Amino acid sequence: MFRPFVFIEHPSFLEHDTGGGLHPEVPARVALIRQRLEHGSLASSMTVRLPKESVRADLLAIHDESYLFRLEEACLAGQTSIDHPDNQISYESFDVAQVAAASGMTAIDLLETGQASSVFCSVRPPGHHAERSRALGFCFLNNVAIAARYWQKAYQRQKIFIIDWDAHHGNGIQSAFERDKEVFYASIHEHPTFSFPGTGYAEDRGEETGRGATLNVPLPPGAGDEMLLEAIRTKIAPAIEAFQPEALIVAAGFDGHRDDDMSGLMYSTAVYQELGRIMRHWGECCQGRVVSILEGGYHLEALAASVEAYLVGLVGFETGEK
Ligand SMILES: [Zn+2]
């Protein structure tokens, strides 16, 4: 039997307005994911849950208070972007970003209280580029980093492994934990020479006491499924094996898909099912404590199909495995 899973989203995710036009980070991203899942093979095993209210203290574990005020003020004052024209905002964006950040924390609550065995957070805006005091790359609050700190604080799971296979390097997650040996950040992304945001070189292995708890695996433009799976098998799997985490957070970005023009990576839809299977397998090592949080993915049809493929692998639907 496959395991029922919880899908976390909130109607407000449609209200973060990036100005229309050509901005790729649009409300239709999450709307289409929901629609696809509701009409697909996973529909009958999916429970939709709303995130709880976010608590400021949890945001402050990752972001400076002055930044939170600055972001809130920018939204309420009617600014259309913050820190860079890429980071489009609307009046609602600060509230929506807080709901997105709360989603990962809600997912953790559901897992830890036995209310879910598998959780996916379909959130926007994304988070992995957001720095302590700066918005970057469509990201405002670092959803994954906030979730990791929450897991430590609320449930005393100290050793957290974050795997990020978005096409881009999660600079914000790395900088949040590069001096921390208890949160391991592993990222597979298009090589920084060719790709935004220009960080994530293989030489970056963490700083000071966190040295060795950061792992960057850059792939050349044009890299496809084989190179991705090889990187997971030969680089990431040994790292997680050695680290022995108590919980796993997946920064689940789908912009490495071959139809997505935000990167030169050439992943197929099918490889995301394989990623789901691998994440499920890794999760077994930490009693199923796996939370996946949506990051990028901008080709709408490819995004929705890839999320579905990922979840099929993650919940074990395709093989009937428990
Ligand atoms: Zn990305």
Short mmCIF file of all heavy atoms in Angstrom, two decimals, residues 12-13 15 54 72 75-76 90-101 141:
data_model
loop_
_atom_site.label_atom_id
_atom_site.label_comp_id
_atom_site.label_asym_id
_atom_site.label_seq_id
_atom_site.Cartn_x
_atom_site.Cartn_y
_atom_site.Cartn_z
N SER A 12 -3.69 32.23 0.01
CA SER A 12 -2.96 33.50 -0.10
C SER A 12 -1.75 33.39 -1.02
O SER A 12 -1.24 34.42 -1.48
CB SER A 12 -2.52 33.98 1.29
OG SER A 12 -1.45 33.20 1.77
N PHE A 13 -1.29 32.17 -1.30
CA PHE A 13 -0.14 32.05 -2.21
C PHE A 13 -0.45 32.62 -3.59
O PHE A 13 0.46 32.93 -4.35
CB PHE A 13 0.32 30.59 -2.32
CG PHE A 13 0.84 30.02 -1.03
CD1 PHE A 13 0.78 28.66 -0.79
CD2 PHE A 13 1.37 30.84 -0.04
CE1 PHE A 13 1.26 28.12 0.42
CE2 PHE A 13 1.84 30.32 1.16
CZ PHE A 13 1.78 28.95 1.38
N GLU A 15 -1.93 35.41 -3.93
CA GLU A 15 -2.04 36.87 -3.78
C GLU A 15 -0.70 37.61 -3.81
O GLU A 15 -0.68 38.84 -3.79
CB GLU A 15 -2.77 37.20 -2.47
CG GLU A 15 -4.23 36.82 -2.53
CD GLU A 15 -4.88 36.84 -1.15
OE1 GLU A 15 -4.30 37.45 -0.24
OE2 GLU A 15 -5.96 36.22 -1.02
N SER A 54 2.43 32.02 11.36
CA SER A 54 3.86 32.04 11.67
C SER A 54 4.11 32.87 12.92
O SER A 54 3.34 33.75 13.28
CB SER A 54 4.66 32.59 10.49
OG SER A 54 4.46 33.96 10.40
N GLU A 72 8.40 44.41 5.29
CA GLU A 72 6.98 44.70 5.55
C GLU A 72 6.63 46.12 5.09
O GLU A 72 5.62 46.35 4.42
CB GLU A 72 6.68 44.54 7.05
CG GLU A 72 5.22 44.76 7.38
CD GLU A 72 4.90 44.40 8.83
OE1 GLU A 72 5.82 44.42 9.67
OE2 GLU A 72 3.71 44.12 9.10
N CYS A 75 6.39 46.51 1.32
CA CYS A 75 5.13 45.97 0.78
C CYS A 75 3.97 46.93 1.07
O CYS A 75 3.21 47.29 0.17
CB CYS A 75 4.82 44.60 1.38
SG CYS A 75 6.03 43.33 0.95
N LEU A 76 3.88 47.35 2.32
CA LEU A 76 2.74 48.18 2.71
C LEU A 76 2.81 49.59 2.09
O LEU A 76 1.80 50.25 1.90
CB LEU A 76 2.65 48.28 4.24
CG LEU A 76 2.43 46.94 4.96
CD1 LEU A 76 2.30 47.15 6.47
CD2 LEU A 76 1.20 46.20 4.41
N SER A 90 4.10 42.98 -3.79
CA SER A 90 2.81 43.68 -3.78
C SER A 90 2.43 43.94 -2.32
O SER A 90 3.15 43.52 -1.41
CB SER A 90 1.74 42.82 -4.47
OG SER A 90 1.62 41.57 -3.82
N TYR A 91 1.32 44.59 -2.13
CA TYR A 91 0.87 44.92 -0.77
C TYR A 91 0.81 43.69 0.12
O TYR A 91 1.15 43.72 1.30
CB TYR A 91 -0.52 45.58 -0.87
CG TYR A 91 -1.05 46.10 0.44
CD1 TYR A 91 -0.65 47.35 0.92
CD2 TYR A 91 -1.95 45.35 1.20
CE1 TYR A 91 -1.13 47.82 2.13
CE2 TYR A 91 -2.44 45.82 2.40
CZ TYR A 91 -2.02 47.05 2.87
OH TYR A 91 -2.51 47.52 4.07
N GLU A 92 0.41 42.56 -0.44
CA GLU A 92 0.18 41.33 0.34
C GLU A 92 1.46 40.52 0.58
O GLU A 92 1.46 39.57 1.36
CB GLU A 92 -0.80 40.41 -0.40
CG GLU A 92 -2.19 40.98 -0.62
CD GLU A 92 -2.27 41.94 -1.80
OE1 GLU A 92 -1.26 42.10 -2.54
OE2 GLU A 92 -3.33 42.55 -1.97
N SER A 93 2.56 40.85 -0.10
CA SER A 93 3.69 39.91 -0.19
C SER A 93 4.31 39.55 1.17
O SER A 93 4.71 38.40 1.38
CB SER A 93 4.77 40.47 -1.11
OG SER A 93 4.25 40.58 -2.42
N PHE A 94 4.39 40.50 2.08
CA PHE A 94 5.00 40.17 3.38
C PHE A 94 4.18 39.12 4.12
O PHE A 94 4.71 38.14 4.64
CB PHE A 94 5.17 41.43 4.23
CG PHE A 94 5.84 41.16 5.55
CD1 PHE A 94 7.16 40.77 5.61
CD2 PHE A 94 5.13 41.27 6.75
CE1 PHE A 94 7.79 40.50 6.84
CE2 PHE A 94 5.74 41.01 7.98
CZ PHE A 94 7.08 40.62 8.01
N ASP A 95 2.86 39.33 4.12
CA ASP A 95 1.98 38.35 4.79
C ASP A 95 2.09 36.99 4.11
O ASP A 95 2.15 35.95 4.76
CB ASP A 95 0.52 38.83 4.75
CG ASP A 95 0.29 39.99 5.69
OD1 ASP A 95 1.13 40.20 6.59
OD2 ASP A 95 -0.73 40.69 5.53
N VAL A 96 2.10 37.00 2.79
CA VAL A 96 2.14 35.73 2.05
C VAL A 96 3.47 35.01 2.32
O VAL A 96 3.49 33.79 2.54
CB VAL A 96 1.95 35.96 0.54
CG1 VAL A 96 1.97 34.63 -0.21
CG2 VAL A 96 0.64 36.69 0.26
N ALA A 97 4.54 35.76 2.35
CA ALA A 97 5.86 35.15 2.61
C ALA A 97 5.88 34.51 4.00
O ALA A 97 6.48 33.45 4.20
CB ALA A 97 6.96 36.20 2.48
N GLN A 98 5.21 35.14 4.95
CA GLN A 98 5.15 34.55 6.30
C GLN A 98 4.35 33.25 6.31
O GLN A 98 4.71 32.29 7.00
CB GLN A 98 4.49 35.53 7.28
CG GLN A 98 5.37 36.71 7.62
CD GLN A 98 4.73 37.52 8.74
OE1 GLN A 98 4.91 37.26 9.91
NE2 GLN A 98 3.97 38.52 8.35
N VAL A 99 3.28 33.21 5.52
CA VAL A 99 2.49 31.97 5.44
C VAL A 99 3.32 30.87 4.77
O VAL A 99 3.29 29.71 5.18
CB VAL A 99 1.17 32.22 4.66
CG1 VAL A 99 0.37 30.92 4.55
CG2 VAL A 99 0.33 33.29 5.34
N ALA A 100 4.07 31.26 3.74
CA ALA A 100 4.95 30.28 3.08
C ALA A 100 5.97 29.72 4.08
O ALA A 100 6.22 28.52 4.14
CB ALA A 100 5.65 30.92 1.88
N ALA A 101 6.55 30.61 4.87
CA ALA A 101 7.55 30.16 5.86
C ALA A 101 6.92 29.25 6.92
O ALA A 101 7.54 28.30 7.39
CB ALA A 101 8.19 31.38 6.53
N LEU A 141 11.75 35.34 2.37
CA LEU A 141 12.02 34.66 3.65
C LEU A 141 12.52 33.26 3.31
O LEU A 141 11.97 32.59 2.42
CB LEU A 141 10.76 34.56 4.51
CG LEU A 141 10.13 35.91 4.92
CD1 LEU A 141 8.85 35.67 5.73
CD2 LEU A 141 11.12 36.75 5.73
#
